[in-house]
Amino acid sequence: MSEQSKQKKLVALSLGGGGAKTFAHLGVLDALRDEGIKIDFLTACSSASIIGFLFCIGVSSDEIKKEFRKKRKWIWLIKRSIFKRVLKKFIKEKNITDLGQLKIPLSIVTVDLKKGKEIIFDKGDPLPICLGSSAFPGIWQPVKYKNYYLIDGGILNPDPADIAREKVGRKGIVISTTLRMEFTKEKIGSRFNTILKSIYLLQFKYRDKIIKENSNIIISPLDNLKINFSDWKETFTGYFSNNKIEKFYQKGYKATIKEMPRIKKLIRNT
């Protein structure tokens, strides 16, 4: 092994939660790949766990977008049939039975509702783990897996840059993609909307601290967008709007290309 290889630092990518905006992550992943940036580890939570998993088993962005663009009845989303179908399709095609088989090591952040603890999976059955990590309270039921009742990992850790940092150490490089957005000014809505907004307020309180303390580069593709809980369907079901899928994908891609000089300089200096 050459001296240069010995000194190469590991690179981890953290993908934060973002509901229907998670296709921005797919743009980030494609931009890094197109620019020749090798990711050694990936961490993800919430809906990003599904995108991250599919990418790590070698499913192309075009295939992923195509599957989620297919028109589905709204009730199928509530029952999560669309997520199960897409995951099962590619798990079968790629013959993946365990997270430990992935081309890029992936850690998925979940929360065990029984003990109220963050649970990190880098091995195990990908279907219930991905579904559990993205099971947002009040929208989807917890997912039973082994002795756990899994819910959305973003409840306790919406931007898992700290997990990425653990993987590469203090000398490694952590690139974080956060889909945090600001709230719009809106009247206090229904009881359900109030609950949803309260959950997000708790997440926002801690995510900036986690990202800043653990990241070398922070990519924020959605800085100019705001979240509105008066229309919760748009927030959680935007997967099925063809123009929105491509819109968020392009935002992720362009934001990453904009940061590319800094990313490459950081890697060169390692």
Side-chain angles (χ1 to χ4, degrees):
M1 183 181 292
S2 68
E3 191 65 27
Q4 183 178 2
S5 298
K6 290 180 182 179
Q7 294 177 354
K8 182 184 180 299
K9 292 185 180 179
L10 297 174
V11 178
L13 176 65
S14 167
L15 303 180
K21 284 77 176 173
T22 195
F23 283 96
H25 288 317
L26 196 52
V28 172
L29 288 161
D30 275 0
L32 292 170
R33 179 207 60 205
D34 291 349
E35 292 292 324
I37 305 300
K38 181 180 180 294
I39 300 300
D40 298 294
F41 297 97
L42 193 145
T43 63
C45 72
S46 196
S47 54
S49 66
I50 296 175
I51 294 298
F53 169 73
L54 294 175
F55 185 88
C56 286
I57 64 174
V59 183
S60 72
S61 60
D62 287 340
E63 290 179 282
I64 296 171
K65 289 188 286 184
K66 179 181 177 181
E67 288 299 321
F68 280 98
R69 281 186 179 123
K70 292 179 179 178
K71 296 297 182 182
R72 302 292 170 191
K73 293 180 179 179
W74 188 74
I75 191 64
W76 289 7
L77 179 65
I78 294 300
K79 292 182 177 181
R80 309 201 76 197
S81 298
I82 178 63
F83 304 103
K84 290 181 183 178
R85 187 193 64 79
V86 172
L87 286 168
K88 284 183 175 180
K89 169 185 169 67
F90 290 117
I91 285 172
K92 183 178 180 180
E93 282 187 8
K94 302 294 183 178
N95 192 27
I96 300 294
T97 59
D98 194 281
L99 289 176
Q101 297 174 259
L102 306 190
K103 295 180 178 180
I104 302 172
L106 170 66
S107 294
I108 294 179
V109 182
T110 66
V111 172
D112 178 23
L113 193 58
K114 285 174 64 177
K115 295 185 177 180
K117 289 185 177 181
E118 178 182 273
I119 308 293
I120 313 297
F121 289 99
D122 51 24
K123 294 181 181 178
D125 188 341
L127 182 61
I129 292 172
C130 287
L131 291 176
S133 179
S134 55
F136 193 89
I139 305 293
W140 294 294
Q141 291 294 319
V143 175
K144 176 75 166 62
Y145 178 59
K146 296 185 176 181
N147 294 322
Y148 305 112
Y149 282 87
L150 303 177
I151 61 172
D152 195 318
I155 297 301
L156 291 182
N157 195 349
D159 279 295
D162 55 332
I163 309 302
R165 176 57 66 194
E166 289 176 9
K167 291 294 182 180
V168 299
R170 299 312 306 176
K171 294 183 179 181
I173 298 170
V174 172
I175 302 170
S176 291
T177 304
T178 177
L179 301 185
R180 174 182 175 174
M181 294 169 290
E182 299 298 326
F183 291 120
T184 59
K185 293 181 179 179
E186 55 182 325
K187 294 180 180 179
I188 300 300
S190 67
R191 182 180 301 176
F192 183 61
N193 289 345
T194 301
I195 292 171
L196 289 177
K197 190 168 185 177
S198 298
I199 292 173
Y200 266 81
L201 285 171
L202 183 62
Q203 294 177 350
F204 282 10
K205 181 178 180 180
Y206 297 107
R207 71 194 308 175
D208 284 348
K209 184 174 185 292
I210 291 174
I211 295 174
K212 290 177 182 177
E213 289 181 353
N214 293 282
S215 307
N216 299 96
I217 299 285
I218 301 173
I219 301 172
S220 303
L222 308 183
D223 267 352
N224 60 338
L225 293 181
K226 296 182 181 295
I227 191 169
N228 184 343
F229 282 96
S230 295
D231 187 3
W232 67 269
K233 291 181 183 179
E234 173 65 20
T235 299
F236 290 98
T237 67
Y239 281 109
F240 301 95
S241 173
N242 289 351
N243 64 322
K244 293 289 179 62
I245 288 175
E246 192 59 33
K247 172 185 176 181
F248 294 130
Y249 173 85
Q250 292 297 333
K251 282 184 174 293
Y253 193 96
K254 291 176 181 177
T256 308
I257 293 299
K258 185 178 180 180
E259 292 291 341
M260 198 55 64
R262 291 180 62 217
I263 294 171
K264 289 185 175 180
K265 181 179 180 180
L266 189 62
I267 293 174
R268 281 198 306 268
N269 291 341
T270 60

